[in-house]
Amino acid sequence: GEDVEQSLFLSVREGDSSVINCTYTDSSSTYLYWYKQEPGAGLQLLTYIFSNMDMKQDQRLTVLLNKKDKHLSLRIADTQTGDSAIYFCAERSNTDKLIFGTGTRLQVFP
Amino acid sequence: KAGVTQTPRYLIKTRGQQVTLSCSPISGHRSVSWYQQTPGQGLQFLFEYFSETQRNKGNFPGRFSGRQFSNSRSEMNVSTLELGDSALYLCASSMDRSTGELFFGEGSRLTVL
């Protein structure tokens, strides 16, 4: 079946790195995504990775994909208070639907 | 370029009523998807429309329906509202399926009393 899991909360100090983890079940997923949701807003696409890639870096964001373990992570370097939000990973299923995880609430404290 | 626009942003209904939510996609985007977001269930896929045709459907009862117009604007309707339908309804548009990038609106928050 299609299922995406994330831990619910992560708390980090400003300036530290944050690592948000995600596991998925659909081995045929072609794309995996990270979205950010700020309070009262919709979801904003941060980055995505092809399933045949291991890593993708985009400024402060690094995505790592372990396809064997079906594990995806998002690393945010030099985390800022403005990064506080809910982060969703999502997989594109073999039926072309995007299946979202439960979201990880990142709290950054000074 | 204007983003995805959803109306209304907030609404309150009572059980048994019906509601219609509207979504205007980004200009040039032909695909519109709808999601229901609740604290307990997270983001659940409702349906996707492309060129006025429903292309994909989630596991929601028949009380949830949608349509897409020739200008790509989409509406979703929920009939015979239940308390459990209280949620944030998010609309997302995309140009095509090649990368699956979705651009989300801010949502319509429905409260059912």
Side-chain angles (χ1 to χ4, degrees):
Chain A
E2 304 159 340
D3 197 17
V4 180
E5 294 192 356
Q6 302 176 237
S7 53
L8 291 179
F9 298 102
L10 177 64
S11 184
V12 300
R13 190 180 296 277
E14 191 174 22
D16 287 351
S17 291
S18 308
V19 179
I20 304 171
N21 295 301
C22 169
T23 57
Y24 60 98
T25 57
D26 188 352
S27 58
S28 65
S29 294
T30 51
Y31 296 85
L32 296 124
Y33 309 84
W34 283 104
Y35 281 83
K36 175 184 180 182
Q37 186 179 35
E38 297 184 14
L43 276 69
Q44 173 195 359
L45 177 66
L46 286 176
T47 186
Y48 64 89
I49 188 168
F50 294 103
S51 60
N52 61 0
M53 294 171 64
D54 297 325
M55 186 182 87
K56 181 179 180 181
Q57 187 150 5
D58 184 1
Q59 299 182 331
R60 291 191 298 124
L61 305 179
T62 303
V63 178
L64 294 177
L65 174 61
N66 181 328
K67 199 171 179 183
K68 174 176 167 291
D69 295 338
K70 301 193 192 72
H71 183 266
L72 183 73
S73 68
L74 173 70
R75 179 177 180 269
I76 306 173
D78 188 26
T79 313
Q80 303 297 307
T81 54
D83 295 323
S84 294
I86 302 176
Y87 290 80
F88 292 89
C89 70
E91 63 169 346
R92 186 170 170 188
S93 74
N94 58 7
T95 56
D96 274 331
K97 293 183 293 189
L98 254 65
I99 308 299
F100 285 85
T102 49
T104 299
R105 184 179 295 275
L106 173 64
Q107 183 176 6
V108 183
F109 57 94
Chain B
K1 203 178 202 181
V4 177
T5 304
Q6 292 188 244
T7 57
R9 289 291 314 279
Y10 303 91
L11 67 166
I12 300 173
K13 293 283 187 178
T14 55
R15 277 180 299 175
Q17 287 187 309
Q18 66 92 27
V19 67
T20 299
L21 308 177
S22 178
C23 172
S24 293
I26 292 172
S27 177
H29 286 193
R30 295 167 64 190
S31 169
V32 173
S33 301
W34 289 89
Y35 286 81
Q36 182 196 65
Q37 185 178 23
T38 58
Q41 298 295 317
L43 277 154
Q44 301 288 313
F45 173 76
L46 281 156
F47 24 65
E48 180 202 1
Y49 287 87
F50 183 85
S51 292
E52 302 177 65
T53 302
Q54 187 179 85
R55 190 159 68 173
N56 225 329
K57 190 176 186 303
N59 298 321
F60 277 80
R63 300 186 297 107
F64 291 80
S65 62
R67 58 179 175 166
Q68 187 180 33
F69 303 94
S70 58
N71 61 359
S72 293
R73 190 176 71 85
S74 177
E75 288 181 347
M76 66 162 283
N77 184 276
V78 188
S79 61
T80 321
L81 283 165
E82 301 176 359
L83 295 179
D85 297 332
S86 295
L88 180 67
Y89 289 88
L90 292 164
C91 166
S93 73
S94 65
M95 179 117 30
D96 58 41
R97 275 182 167 178
S98 58
T99 60
E101 290 180 65
L102 295 180
F103 295 84
F104 282 83
E106 293 183 317
S108 293
R109 184 166 294 283
L110 170 65
T111 301
V112 182
L113 302 177

